[in-house]
């Protein structure tokens, strides 16, 4: 096994496949551990294999399997731990599975790393949900979005000094994992880091109603399907294009020995904050018509406003988001539209072949 192999758990997912592609393109060996449970991820894995061949090593396994995780961690220098149960809704339906994947799965990764003669660095992706519903934030309505009344928060977003307040089983399981990763730097001296993520979007994202809402809205519009807004659609998130996130991962890896044991809020920041209604406007511009919309009740743990204050990571590494929301959404729209057109051509060709075969 190469001494310079990087392990990406959940590496066939949206974020994992984008990071793996960047690492492999730089000539680095990547080992992907994924159970392929999420829709679309097999296509991502196939794409990575086509692009990179033998530089990519794939392990089909679940992070709940401690033995498989230990084998995957053996011989690697760096672990990016993305494998997770990712939806609040699913966590409410099955909190035990959510905990097993997110908390115990992360502990398995940490223990596998700790058992190595030289423990690899571990970077884990956490979530803004560790800060809870942010109900104490006073908000005003400006246009079609919520904005904090306090000027400092409106200008900067939510910083890492915000008290933790796990909300929903998902918030609790990810928060547990988040705290374990930080503590393994403190208790065992390991090189560990946490990114508390806001809304990431970009190519290779197969969004669903529960997770990946930017891609989900675009996909619904492309299919002419109705979009359900939970609440009033004025809730605000800072969206971050996946290429900018991968830049941040590589900087975090480079500076990890100095930054170990810290958590950083990671998103597009105030400059890339949009409401759900803003996204519908942008889709209308790109698509030529506004998708049909239905309103439903607010969901558990849904924050009316969350925007990351990314200044701490920026100060430590010089990173900043480069892709503006408007341009990034257009790029994702084009990628999803092209993918849908290719799928339609494939379906038509398959039907034509069946018809031709039946004619003989």
């Amino acid at each position: 096994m190469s001494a310079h192999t990087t392990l990406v758990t959940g590496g066939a997912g949206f974020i994992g496949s984008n990071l793996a592609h960047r690492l492999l393109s730089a000539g680095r060996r990547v080992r992907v551990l994924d159970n392929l449970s999420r829709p679309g991820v097999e296509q991502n894995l196939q794409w990575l294999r086509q692009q990179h061949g033998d530089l990519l090593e794939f392990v089909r396994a679940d992070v709940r399997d401690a033995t498989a995780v230990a084998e995957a961690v053996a011989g690697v220098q760096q672990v990016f731990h993305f494998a997770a149960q990712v939806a609040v809704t699913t966590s409410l339906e099955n909190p035990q599975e959510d905990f097993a994947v997110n908390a115990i799965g992360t502990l398995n990764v940490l223990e596998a790393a700790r058992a190595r003669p030289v423990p690899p660095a571990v970077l884990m992706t956490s979530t803004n949900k560790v800060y809870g519903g942010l109900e104490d934030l006073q908000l005003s309505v400006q246009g079609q979005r919520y904005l904090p009344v306090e000027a400092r928060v409106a200008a900067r977003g939510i910083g890492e000094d915000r008290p933790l307040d796990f909300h929903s089983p998902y918030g609790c399981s990810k928060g547990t994992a988040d705290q374990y990763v930080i503590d393994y730097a403190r208790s065992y001296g390991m090189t560990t880091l946490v990114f508390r993520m806001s809304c990431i979007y970009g190519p290779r994202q197969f969004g669903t109603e529960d997770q990946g809402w930017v891609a989900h809205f675009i996909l619904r519009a492309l299919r002419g399907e109705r979009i359900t807004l939970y609440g009033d659609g004025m809730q605000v998130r800072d969206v971050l294009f996946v290429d900018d996130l991968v830049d941040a991962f590589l900087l975090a890896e480079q500076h990890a020995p100095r930054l170990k044991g810290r958590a950083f809020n990671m998103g597009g920041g105030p400059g890339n904050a949009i409401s759900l209604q803003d996204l519908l406007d942008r889709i209308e511009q790109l698509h030529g018509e506004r998708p049909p919309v239905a309103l439903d009740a607010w969901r558990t743990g849904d924050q009316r406003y969350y925007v990351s204050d990314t200044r701490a990571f920026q100060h430590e590494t010089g990173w900043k988001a480069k892709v503006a929301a408007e341009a990034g959404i257009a790029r994702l729209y084009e990628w999803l539209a092209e993918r849908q057109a290719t799928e339609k051509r494939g379906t038509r060709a398959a039907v034509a072949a069946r018809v031709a075969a039946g004619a003989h």
Side-chain angles (χ1 to χ4, degrees), residues 78 80 193 247-259 317:
Q78 171 71 47
F80 290 96
L193 268 173
D247 288 345
F249 285 143
L250 298 179
L251 283 166
E253 179 186 44
Q254 189 183 322
H255 296 281
R258 182 167 55 81
L259 303 180
T317 65

Side-chain angles (χ1 to χ4, degrees), residues 38-359:
R38 195 160 161 76
V41 296
E42 291 196 40
Q43 294 169 48
N44 289 341
L45 180 63
Q46 192 180 352
W47 170 71
L48 286 172
R49 280 179 165 148
Q50 286 167 348
Q51 296 277 321
H52 303 290
D54 291 344
L55 270 180
L56 173 73
E57 181 189 343
F58 175 62
V59 178
R60 184 167 188 166
D62 193 300
V63 284
R64 288 171 287 188
D65 181 343
T67 304
V69 170
E71 287 171 2
V73 168
V76 305
Q77 283 193 324
Q78 171 71 47
V79 178
F80 290 96
H81 175 43
F82 305 155
Q85 191 296 108
V86 294
V88 172
T89 45
T90 308
S91 80
L92 288 161
E93 289 159 14
N94 195 339
Q96 283 183 303
E97 181 178 1
D98 171 76
F99 185 84
V101 174
N102 291 347
I104 296 171
T106 298
L107 190 58
N108 286 341
V109 170
L110 288 168
E111 281 294 271
R114 187 168 76 91
R116 303 307 305 163
V118 179
V122 177
L123 185 149
M124 176 232 173
T125 46
S126 181
T127 170
N128 59 37
K129 293 289 185 284
V130 301
Y131 298 118
L134 307 175
E135 288 92 351
D136 62 308
L137 268 190
Q138 278 192 293
L139 300 172
S140 63
V141 174
Q142 298 202 7
Q144 54 184 13
R145 58 168 74 176
Y146 289 111
L147 268 182
V149 171
E150 193 182 333
R152 186 180 60 85
V153 181
R156 296 175 179 174
I158 306 295
E160 295 85 358
D161 56 351
R162 175 84 195 180
L164 297 177
D165 178 24
F166 305 160
H167 192 168
S168 79
Y170 171 74
C172 290
S173 66
K174 289 294 282 188
T176 300
D178 173 315
Q179 293 298 284
Y180 263 96
V181 172
I182 290 168
D183 190 68
Y184 266 55
R186 202 164 39 200
S187 292
Y188 300 111
M190 285 170 56
T191 302
T192 61
L193 268 173
V194 169
F195 272 8
R196 292 179 181 149
M197 313 265 278
S198 194
C199 294
I200 314 302
Y201 72 104
R204 318 227 67 81
Q205 185 175 41
F206 303 99
T208 66
E209 189 168 69
D210 298 322
Q211 210 266 341
W213 61 278
V214 178
H216 170 66
F217 277 27
I218 295 171
L219 281 167
R220 300 288 284 194
L222 288 167
R223 294 174 189 145
E225 295 170 353
R226 189 173 62 186
I227 294 166
T228 301
L229 296 183
Y230 295 92
D232 50 25
M234 293 193 292
Q235 53 267 57
V236 168
R237 298 290 182 272
D238 58 321
V239 295
L240 180 65
F241 197 70
V242 69
D243 291 358
D244 285 331
L245 177 64
V246 172
D247 288 345
F249 285 143
L250 298 179
L251 283 166
E253 179 186 44
Q254 189 183 322
H255 296 281
R258 182 167 55 81
L259 303 180
K260 69 180 188 180
R262 290 180 65 182
F264 294 98
N265 291 352
M266 179 51 57
N272 291 296
I274 63 168
S275 72
L276 276 60
Q277 297 283 3
D278 293 335
L279 178 60
L280 290 172
D281 287 351
R282 185 74 183 115
I283 291 170
E284 185 176 0
Q285 288 171 3
L286 294 164
H287 193 56
E289 59 181 314
R290 196 174 187 82
V293 170
L295 294 177
D296 207 335
W298 288 94
R299 297 191 292 186
T300 300
D302 197 3
Q303 300 149 327
R304 280 168 170 71
Y305 174 91
Y306 183 87
V307 170
S308 315
D309 180 351
T310 59
R311 290 175 310 145
F313 189 73
Q314 197 169 327
H315 172 74
E316 294 290 359
T317 65
W319 175 88
K320 63 172 185 260
K322 294 175 191 155
V323 181
E326 191 165 303
I329 291 163
R331 281 167 66 179
L332 177 56
Y333 178 87
E334 285 159 18
W335 186 83
L336 287 168
E338 175 54 36
R339 190 176 154 271
Q340 184 166 310
T342 304
E343 277 180 6
K344 277 184 183 165
R345 284 195 295 272
T347 304
R348 280 199 297 268
V351 170
R354 281 200 299 272
V355 169

